[in-house]
């Protein structure tokens, strides 16, 4: 691990009150899995949610690549040690990535848990962040999955996915099967429970006033997980924020309405980013 970055991380640990993730205790550089597109414009780090993956950005990322350099980062929710999957630990993981790649100031774009991670990173090290794009973000209140059945199978995943998407065409047998396979591993289930519980406990209501960077809130009006009431609360509590919503959309706007999502991000960055668009 680069000593300079490690010193910055220690400052963030003190700032957010986090226990050291295992990779920091061992002074071991974390491994990063990414999908990177775009040749010009501002750097953007895309952060997925609890049951998410890099594939969540498959449709919208190429559209963003027309004006920016979007980098989808895989959060270590399954492979990480229990100490590494909590919200604050994931923020440290993302901070190391941003510092090691010298992206700062960078735009962070997060969905659900990924938005929560982005907020935590911005609170710990605001100098690293250019703009925030938050969509269906946790951190205030959500109908979360912090308790899973002993053996979460097809029925559980099917029901959960139908709550996530307004357009049920996105609830495919293939998508359900992928998550069911993940949940067959007991350690994966335990990690997801730890991550969900940490998000539920980490309420940011009293801290959001400290977020000073330009913040775009993109919300589905039919989100059953983080409702529009939650969106309005984020908008009220984050000083320099703008809320834009879309009808017929659930908890993953970047999947259900990628063209709208990308266009709104482009307009926002053109107005607020310190970096010129491509």
């Amino acid at each position: 691990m680069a000593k300079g970055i490690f010193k910055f991380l220690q400052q963030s640990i003190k700032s957010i009150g986090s226990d050291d993730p295992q990779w920091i205790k061992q002074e071991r550089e974390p491994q990063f899995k990414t999908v990177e597109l775009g040749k010009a414009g501002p750097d953007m780090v895309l952060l997925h949610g609890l049951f998410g993956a890099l594939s969540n950005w498959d449709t919208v990322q190429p559209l963003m690549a027309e004006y920016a350099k979007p980098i989808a980062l895989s959060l270590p929710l399954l492979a990480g040690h229990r100490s590494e999957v909590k919200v604050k630990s994931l923020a440290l993981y993302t901070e190391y990535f941003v510092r090691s790649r010298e992206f700062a100031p960078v735009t962070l774009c997060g969905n659900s848990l990924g938005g929560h991670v982005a907020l935590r990173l911005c609170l710990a090290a605001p100098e690293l962040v250019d703009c925030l794009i938050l969509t269906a973000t946790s951190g205030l209140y959500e109908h979360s999955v912090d308790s899973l059945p002993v053996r979460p199978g097809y029925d559980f995943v099917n029901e959960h996915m139908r709550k996530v998407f307004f357009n049920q065409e996105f609830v495919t047998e293939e998508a359900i099967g992928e998550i069911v396979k993940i949940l067959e591993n007991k350690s994966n289930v335990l990690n997801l429970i730890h991550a969900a519980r940490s998000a539920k406990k980490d309420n940011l209501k009293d801290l959001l006033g400290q977020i000073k960077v330009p913040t775009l809130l993109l919300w589905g009006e039919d989100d059953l997980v983080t409702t529009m009431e939650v969106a309005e609360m984020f908008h009220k509590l984050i000083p320099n924020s703008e809320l834009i919503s879309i009808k017929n959309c659930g908890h993953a706007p970047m999947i259900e309405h990628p063209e709208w999502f990308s266009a709104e991000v482009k307009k926002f960055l053109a107005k607020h980013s310190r970096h010129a668009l491509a």
Side-chain angles (χ1 to χ4, degrees), residues 203-270:
N203 191 290
L204 302 178
K205 181 179 179 181
D206 295 332
L207 300 175
L208 293 177
Q210 299 175 26
I211 300 291
K212 304 302 182 185
V213 304
T215 302
L216 175 62
L217 304 166
L218 294 177
W219 236 262
E221 294 182 12
D222 303 280
D223 190 341
L224 301 178
V225 182
T226 48
T227 64
M228 281 302 299
E229 184 179 357
V230 177
E232 295 286 356
M233 194 177 300
F234 271 116
H235 183 36
K236 179 181 178 181
L237 294 173
I238 299 176
N240 191 14
S241 65
E242 179 180 346
L243 171 60
I244 301 176
S245 63
I246 187 169
K247 295 179 180 179
N248 300 330
C249 182
H251 191 59
M254 72 286 184
I255 296 177
E256 293 200 69
H257 296 278
E259 292 83 4
W260 169 82
F261 192 97
S262 176
E264 293 298 341
V265 171
K266 183 179 181 180
K267 285 190 290 185
F268 188 79
L269 292 183

Coordinates of all heavy atoms in Angstrom, one line a residue, residues 203-270:
N203 N -27.4 6.3 9.7 CA -28.4 7.4 9.2 C -27.6 8.7 9.1 O -27.0 9.1 10.1 CB -29.5 7.5 10.2 CG -30.6 8.4 9.7 OD1 -30.5 9.6 9.5 ND2 -31.8 7.7 9.3
L204 N -27.7 9.3 8.0 CA -26.9 10.5 7.7 C -27.7 11.8 7.9 O -27.2 12.9 7.5 CB -26.4 10.5 6.2 CG -25.5 9.3 5.9 CD1 -25.1 9.3 4.4 CD2 -24.3 9.2 6.8
K205 N -28.9 11.8 8.4 CA -29.8 12.9 8.5 C -29.1 14.1 9.1 O -29.2 15.3 8.6 CB -31.0 12.6 9.4 CG -32.0 13.7 9.5 CD -33.2 13.3 10.3 CE -34.2 14.5 10.5 NZ -35.4 14.1 11.3
D206 N -28.3 14.0 10.1 CA -27.7 15.1 10.8 C -26.4 15.5 10.2 O -25.8 16.5 10.6 CB -27.4 14.8 12.3 CG -28.7 14.5 13.1 OD1 -29.8 15.1 12.7 OD2 -28.7 13.8 14.0
L207 N -26.0 14.8 9.1 CA -24.7 15.1 8.5 C -24.8 15.7 7.1 O -23.9 16.3 6.6 CB -23.8 13.8 8.4 CG -23.5 13.2 9.8 CD1 -22.7 11.9 9.5 CD2 -22.6 14.1 10.6
L208 N -26.0 15.5 6.5 CA -26.1 15.9 5.1 C -25.9 17.4 4.8 O -25.6 17.8 3.7 CB -27.5 15.5 4.6 CG -27.7 14.0 4.5 CD1 -29.1 13.6 4.0 CD2 -26.7 13.3 3.5
G209 N -26.1 18.2 5.9 CA -25.9 19.7 5.7 C -24.5 20.0 5.4 O -24.1 21.1 5.0
Q210 N -23.6 19.1 5.7 CA -22.1 19.3 5.5 C -21.7 19.0 4.0 O -20.6 19.4 3.6 CB -21.3 18.3 6.4 CG -21.5 18.5 7.9 CD -20.8 17.5 8.7 OE1 -19.8 16.9 8.3 NE2 -21.3 17.3 9.9
I211 N -22.6 18.4 3.2 CA -22.3 18.2 1.8 C -22.4 19.5 1.1 O -23.5 20.1 0.9 CB -23.3 17.1 1.2 CG1 -23.2 15.8 2.0 CG2 -23.0 17.0 -0.3 CD1 -21.9 15.1 1.8
K212 N -21.3 20.0 0.6 CA -21.3 21.3 -0.1 C -21.2 21.2 -1.6 O -21.4 22.2 -2.3 CB -20.2 22.1 0.4 CG -20.2 22.3 2.0 CD -21.5 23.0 2.4 CE -21.5 23.2 3.9 NZ -22.8 23.7 4.4
V213 N -20.8 20.0 -2.1 CA -20.6 19.9 -3.6 C -21.9 19.8 -4.3 O -22.9 19.4 -3.7 CB -19.8 18.6 -3.9 CG1 -18.4 18.6 -3.1 CG2 -20.5 17.3 -3.6
P214 N -22.0 20.2 -5.6 CA -23.2 20.1 -6.4 C -23.7 18.7 -6.4 O -22.9 17.8 -6.7 CB -22.8 20.6 -7.7 CG -21.6 21.5 -7.5 CD -20.8 20.8 -6.4
T215 N -25.0 18.5 -6.1 CA -25.5 17.2 -6.0 C -26.8 17.0 -6.8 O -27.7 17.8 -6.6 CB -25.8 16.8 -4.5 OG1 -24.6 17.0 -3.7 CG2 -26.4 15.4 -4.4
L216 N -26.8 16.0 -7.7 CA -28.0 15.7 -8.5 C -28.7 14.5 -7.9 O -28.0 13.4 -7.8 CB -27.6 15.5 -9.9 CG -28.7 15.1 -10.9 CD1 -29.8 16.2 -11.0 CD2 -28.1 14.8 -12.3
L217 N -30.0 14.6 -7.6 CA -30.8 13.5 -7.2 C -31.7 13.0 -8.3 O -32.5 13.8 -8.7 CB -31.6 13.9 -5.9 CG -30.8 14.5 -4.8 CD1 -31.8 15.2 -3.8 CD2 -30.0 13.4 -4.0
L218 N -31.5 11.8 -8.8 CA -32.3 11.3 -9.9 C -33.1 10.1 -9.3 O -32.6 9.1 -8.8 CB -31.4 10.8 -11.0 CG -30.6 11.8 -11.8 CD1 -29.7 11.2 -12.8 CD2 -31.5 12.9 -12.4
W219 N -34.4 10.2 -9.4 CA -35.3 9.3 -8.7 C -36.4 8.8 -9.5 O -37.0 9.5 -10.4 CB -35.9 10.0 -7.5 CG -35.7 9.3 -6.2 CD1 -36.5 8.5 -5.5 CD2 -34.5 9.4 -5.4 NE1 -35.9 8.1 -4.3 CE2 -34.7 8.6 -4.2 CE3 -33.3 10.1 -5.5 CZ2 -33.7 8.5 -3.2 CZ3 -32.3 10.0 -4.5 CH2 -32.5 9.2 -3.4
G220 N -36.8 7.5 -9.3 CA -38.0 7.0 -9.9 C -39.2 7.2 -9.0 O -39.1 7.0 -7.8
E221 N -40.2 7.7 -9.6 CA -41.4 8.1 -8.9 C -42.2 6.9 -8.3 O -43.0 7.1 -7.4 CB -42.3 9.0 -9.7 CG -41.7 10.4 -10.0 CD -42.6 11.3 -10.8 OE1 -43.8 11.0 -10.9 OE2 -42.1 12.3 -11.4
D222 N -41.8 5.7 -8.8 CA -42.5 4.5 -8.3 C -41.5 3.6 -7.5 O -41.8 2.4 -7.4 CB -43.1 3.7 -9.5 CG -44.0 4.6 -10.3 OD1 -45.2 4.7 -9.9 OD2 -43.6 5.1 -11.4
D223 N -40.5 4.3 -7.0 CA -39.5 3.5 -6.2 C -40.2 3.1 -4.9 O -40.7 3.9 -4.1 CB -38.3 4.5 -5.8 CG -37.2 3.7 -5.2 OD1 -37.4 2.6 -4.7 OD2 -36.1 4.3 -5.2
L224 N -40.2 1.8 -4.6 CA -40.8 1.2 -3.4 C -39.8 1.0 -2.3 O -40.2 0.7 -1.2 CB -41.5 -0.1 -3.8 CG -42.6 -0.1 -4.8 CD1 -43.2 -1.5 -5.1 CD2 -43.8 0.9 -4.4
V225 N -38.5 1.1 -2.6 CA -37.5 0.9 -1.6 C -37.1 2.2 -1.0 O -37.1 2.3 0.3 CB -36.3 0.2 -2.3 CG1 -35.2 -0.1 -1.3 CG2 -36.7 -1.1 -3.0
T226 N -36.7 3.2 -1.8 CA -36.4 4.5 -1.3 C -37.4 5.4 -2.0 O -37.1 5.8 -3.1 CB -34.9 5.0 -1.6 OG1 -34.6 4.7 -2.9 CG2 -34.0 4.2 -0.7
T227 N -38.5 5.7 -1.3 CA -39.6 6.4 -2.0 C -39.3 7.9 -2.3 O -38.3 8.4 -1.9 CB -40.8 6.3 -1.0 OG1 -40.5 7.1 0.2 CG2 -41.2 4.9 -0.7
M228 N -40.2 8.5 -3.0 CA -40.1 9.9 -3.3 C -40.0 10.8 -2.0 O -39.4 11.8 -2.0 CB -41.2 10.4 -4.2 CG -41.1 10.0 -5.6 SD -39.5 10.6 -6.4 CE -39.8 12.4 -6.2
E229 N -40.6 10.3 -1.0 CA -40.6 11.0 0.3 C -39.1 11.1 0.8 O -38.7 12.1 1.3 CB -41.4 10.3 1.4 CG -41.5 11.0 2.7 CD -42.3 10.3 3.7 OE1 -43.0 9.3 3.4 OE2 -42.4 10.8 4.9
V230 N -38.4 10.0 0.6 CA -37.0 10.0 0.9 C -36.2 10.9 0.0 O -35.3 11.7 0.5 CB -36.4 8.5 0.8 CG1 -34.9 8.5 1.1 CG2 -37.1 7.6 1.8
A231 N -36.5 10.9 -1.3 CA -35.9 11.8 -2.2 C -36.0 13.3 -1.8 O -35.1 14.1 -1.8 CB -36.4 11.6 -3.6
E232 N -37.3 13.6 -1.4 CA -37.5 15.0 -1.0 C -36.7 15.4 0.3 O -36.3 16.5 0.4 CB -39.0 15.2 -0.7 CG -39.9 15.0 -2.0 CD -39.8 16.2 -2.9 OE1 -39.1 17.2 -2.5 OE2 -40.5 16.2 -4.0
M233 N -36.6 14.4 1.1 CA -35.8 14.6 2.4 C -34.3 14.9 2.0 O -33.7 15.8 2.6 CB -35.9 13.4 3.3 CG -35.5 13.7 4.7 SD -35.7 12.3 5.9 CE -37.5 12.2 5.7
F234 N -33.8 14.1 1.1 CA -32.4 14.3 0.7 C -32.3 15.7 0.1 O -31.3 16.5 0.4 CB -32.0 13.3 -0.4 CG -31.3 12.0 0.2 CD1 -32.0 10.8 0.1 CD2 -30.1 12.1 0.9 CE1 -31.4 9.6 0.6 CE2 -29.6 10.9 1.4 CZ -30.2 9.7 1.2
H235 N -33.2 16.1 -0.7 CA -33.2 17.4 -1.4 C -33.2 18.5 -0.4 O -32.5 19.5 -0.5 CB -34.4 17.5 -2.4 CG -34.4 18.7 -3.2 ND1 -33.3 19.4 -3.6 CD2 -35.5 19.5 -3.5 CE1 -33.7 20.5 -4.3 NE2 -35.0 20.6 -4.2
K236 N -34.0 18.3 0.7 CA -34.2 19.4 1.7 C -32.9 19.5 2.5 O -32.5 20.6 2.9 CB -35.4 19.0 2.6 CG -35.6 20.0 3.7 CD -36.8 19.6 4.6 CE -37.0 20.5 5.8 NZ -38.1 20.1 6.6
L237 N -32.2 18.4 2.8 CA -31.1 18.4 3.7 C -29.8 18.6 3.1 O -28.8 19.1 3.7 CB -31.1 17.0 4.5 CG -32.2 16.7 5.4 CD1 -32.2 15.3 5.9 CD2 -32.3 17.7 6.5
I238 N -29.6 18.4 1.8 CA -28.4 18.6 1.1 C -28.5 20.0 0.4 O -29.3 20.2 -0.5 CB -28.1 17.6 0.0 CG1 -27.9 16.2 0.6 CG2 -26.8 17.9 -0.8 CD1 -27.8 15.1 -0.4
P239 N -27.7 21.0 0.9 CA -27.8 22.4 0.5 C -27.8 22.7 -1.0 O -28.7 23.3 -1.5 CB -26.6 23.1 1.2 CG -26.3 22.2 2.4 CD -26.6 20.8 1.9
N240 N -26.8 22.2 -1.7 CA -26.6 22.5 -3.1 C -27.1 21.3 -4.0 O -26.3 20.8 -4.8 CB -25.2 22.8 -3.4 CG -25.0 23.4 -4.7 OD1 -25.9 23.9 -5.4 ND2 -23.7 23.5 -5.2
S241 N -28.4 21.0 -3.8 CA -28.9 19.8 -4.5 C -30.1 20.1 -5.5 O -30.8 21.1 -5.3 CB -29.4 18.7 -3.5 OG -30.5 19.2 -2.7
E242 N -30.2 19.3 -6.5 CA -31.3 19.4 -7.4 C -31.9 18.0 -7.6 O -31.3 17.0 -7.7 CB -30.7 19.8 -8.8 CG -31.7 20.0 -9.9 CD -31.1 20.4 -11.2 OE1 -30.0 20.9 -11.2 OE2 -31.8 20.3 -12.2
L243 N -33.3 18.0 -7.5 CA -34.0 16.7 -7.5 C -34.8 16.7 -8.8 O -35.6 17.6 -9.1 CB -35.0 16.6 -6.4 CG -36.0 15.4 -6.4 CD1 -35.3 14.1 -6.5 CD2 -36.9 15.5 -5.2
I244 N -34.6 15.6 -9.6 CA -35.3 15.4 -10.8 C -35.8 13.9 -10.8 O -35.1 13.0 -10.5 CB -34.4 15.5 -12.1 CG1 -33.8 17.0 -12.1 CG2 -35.2 15.3 -13.4 CD1 -32.9 17.2 -13.3
S245 N -37.1 13.8 -11.0 CA -37.7 12.4 -11.0 C -38.4 12.1 -12.3 O -38.6 12.9 -13.2 CB -38.8 12.4 -9.9 OG -39.9 13.3 -10.2
I246 N -38.7 10.8 -12.4 CA -39.3 10.3 -13.7 C -40.4 9.3 -13.3 O -40.2 8.5 -12.4 CB -38.2 9.7 -14.6 CG1 -38.8 9.3 -16.0 CG2 -37.5 8.4 -14.0 CD1 -37.8 8.9 -17.0
K247 N -41.5 9.3 -14.1 CA -42.6 8.4 -13.8 C -42.3 7.0 -14.4 O -41.4 6.8 -15.2 CB -43.8 9.0 -14.5 CG -44.3 10.3 -13.9 CD -45.6 10.8 -14.7 CE -46.1 12.1 -14.1 NZ -47.3 12.6 -14.8
N248 N -43.0 6.1 -14.0 CA -42.9 4.7 -14.4 C -41.5 4.2 -14.3 O -40.9 3.6 -15.2 CB -43.3 4.6 -15.9 CG -44.8 5.0 -16.1 OD1 -45.6 4.9 -15.2 ND2 -45.0 5.6 -17.3
C249 N -41.0 4.4 -13.0 CA -39.6 4.0 -12.8 C -39.5 3.6 -11.3 O -40.0 4.3 -10.4 CB -38.6 5.1 -13.1 SG -36.9 4.7 -12.9
G250 N -38.7 2.5 -11.0 CA -38.5 2.1 -9.7 C -37.2 2.5 -9.1 O -36.7 3.6 -9.2
H251 N -36.5 1.5 -8.5 CA -35.3 1.7 -7.7 C -34.0 1.8 -8.5 O -33.0 2.1 -7.9 CB -35.2 0.6 -6.6 CG -34.3 0.8 -5.5 ND1 -34.3 1.9 -4.7 CD2 -33.2 0.1 -5.1 CE1 -33.3 1.8 -3.8 NE2 -32.6 0.7 -4.1
A252 N -34.1 1.6 -9.8 CA -32.9 1.6 -10.6 C -33.1 2.4 -11.9 O -33.1 1.8 -13.0 CB -32.4 0.1 -10.9
P253 N -33.2 3.7 -11.8 CA -33.4 4.5 -12.9 C -32.4 4.4 -14.1 O -32.8 4.5 -15.2 CB -33.4 6.0 -12.4 CG -33.7 5.8 -10.9 CD -33.1 4.5 -10.5
M254 N -31.1 4.1 -13.7 CA -30.1 4.0 -14.8 C -30.3 2.7 -15.6 O -29.9 2.6 -16.7 CB -28.7 4.0 -14.1 CG -28.3 2.7 -13.4 SD -29.1 2.6 -11.8 CE -28.3 1.1 -11.1
I255 N -31.1 1.8 -15.1 CA -31.4 0.6 -15.8 C -32.7 0.7 -16.6 O -32.8 0.4 -17.8 CB -31.5 -0.7 -14.9 CG1 -30.2 -1.0 -14.3 CG2 -32.0 -1.9 -15.7 CD1 -30.2 -2.1 -13.2
E256 N -33.7 1.3 -16.0 CA -35.0 1.4 -16.6 C -35.1 2.5 -17.6 O -35.9 2.5 -18.6 CB -36.1 1.6 -15.5 CG -36.3 0.3 -14.6 CD -37.7 0.3 -13.9 OE1 -38.7 0.2 -14.6 OE2 -37.7 0.5 -12.7
H257 N -34.4 3.6 -17.3 CA -34.4 4.8 -18.2 C -33.0 5.3 -18.5 O -32.7 6.5 -18.1 CB -35.3 5.9 -17.6 CG -36.8 5.5 -17.5 ND1 -37.7 5.5 -18.5 CD2 -37.4 5.0 -16.4 CE1 -38.8 5.1 -18.1 NE2 -38.7 4.8 -16.9
P258 N -32.2 4.6 -19.1 CA -30.8 5.0 -19.3 C -30.6 6.3 -20.1 O -29.7 7.1 -19.8 CB -30.1 3.8 -20.0 CG -31.3 3.1 -20.7 CD -32.4 3.3 -19.7
E259 N -31.4 6.5 -21.2 CA -31.2 7.7 -22.0 C -31.5 8.9 -21.1 O -30.8 9.9 -21.2 CB -32.1 7.6 -23.2 CG -31.7 6.6 -24.2 CD -32.3 5.2 -23.9 OE1 -33.0 5.1 -22.9 OE2 -31.9 4.2 -24.6
W260 N -32.6 8.9 -20.4 CA -33.0 10.0 -19.5 C -32.0 10.2 -18.5 O -31.5 11.4 -18.2 CB -34.4 9.7 -18.9 CG -34.7 10.6 -17.7 CD1 -35.3 11.8 -17.9 CD2 -34.5 10.4 -16.3 NE1 -35.5 12.4 -16.6 CE2 -35.0 11.5 -15.7 CE3 -34.0 9.3 -15.6 CZ2 -35.0 11.6 -14.3 CZ3 -33.9 9.5 -14.2 CH2 -34.4 10.6 -13.6
F261 N -31.5 9.2 -17.9 CA -30.5 9.2 -16.8 C -29.2 9.9 -17.3 O -28.7 10.9 -16.7 CB -30.2 7.8 -16.3 CG -29.4 7.8 -15.0 CD1 -30.0 7.6 -13.8 CD2 -28.0 7.9 -15.1 CE1 -29.3 7.5 -12.6 CE2 -27.2 7.8 -13.9 CZ -27.9 7.6 -12.7
S262 N -28.7 9.4 -18.4 CA -27.5 10.0 -19.0 C -27.6 11.4 -19.4 O -26.7 12.3 -19.2 CB -27.0 9.2 -20.2 OG -25.9 9.7 -20.8
A263 N -28.8 11.8 -20.0 CA -29.0 13.2 -20.4 C -29.1 14.1 -19.3 O -28.5 15.2 -19.3 CB -30.3 13.2 -21.2
E264 N -29.7 13.7 -18.1 CA -29.7 14.6 -17.0 C -28.4 14.7 -16.3 O -28.0 15.8 -15.9 CB -30.7 14.0 -15.9 CG -32.2 14.0 -16.4 CD -32.7 15.4 -16.6 OE1 -32.1 16.4 -16.1 OE2 -33.7 15.5 -17.3
V265 N -27.6 13.7 -16.3 CA -26.2 13.8 -15.8 C -25.4 14.7 -16.6 O -24.7 15.6 -16.1 CB -25.5 12.4 -15.7 CG1 -24.1 12.5 -15.4 CG2 -26.2 11.5 -14.7
K266 N -25.5 14.6 -17.9 CA -24.8 15.5 -18.9 C -25.1 17.0 -18.6 O -24.2 17.8 -18.5 CB -25.1 15.1 -20.3 CG -24.3 15.9 -21.3 CD -24.6 15.5 -22.7 CE -23.7 16.3 -23.7 NZ -24.0 15.9 -25.1
K267 N -26.4 17.3 -18.5 CA -26.8 18.7 -18.3 C -26.3 19.2 -17.0 O -25.8 20.3 -16.9 CB -28.3 18.8 -18.3 CG -29.0 18.7 -19.7 CD -30.4 19.0 -19.7 CE -31.3 18.0 -19.0 NZ -32.7 18.2 -19.1
F268 N -26.3 18.3 -15.9 CA -25.9 18.8 -14.6 C -24.4 19.0 -14.6 O -23.9 20.0 -14.1 CB -26.2 17.7 -13.6 CG -26.0 18.1 -12.2 CD1 -26.9 18.9 -11.5 CD2 -24.8 17.6 -11.5 CE1 -26.7 19.2 -10.2 CE2 -24.6 18.0 -10.2 CZ -25.5 18.8 -9.5
L269 N -23.6 18.1 -15.2 CA -22.1 18.3 -15.2 C -21.7 19.5 -16.1 O -20.8 20.2 -15.7 CB -21.5 17.0 -15.8 CG -21.6 15.7 -14.9 CD1 -20.8 14.6 -15.5 CD2 -21.0 16.0 -13.5
A270 N -22.4 19.7 -17.1 CA -22.1 20.9 -18.0 C -22.3 22.2 -17.2 O -21.6 23.1 -17.4 CB -23.0 20.9 -19.2

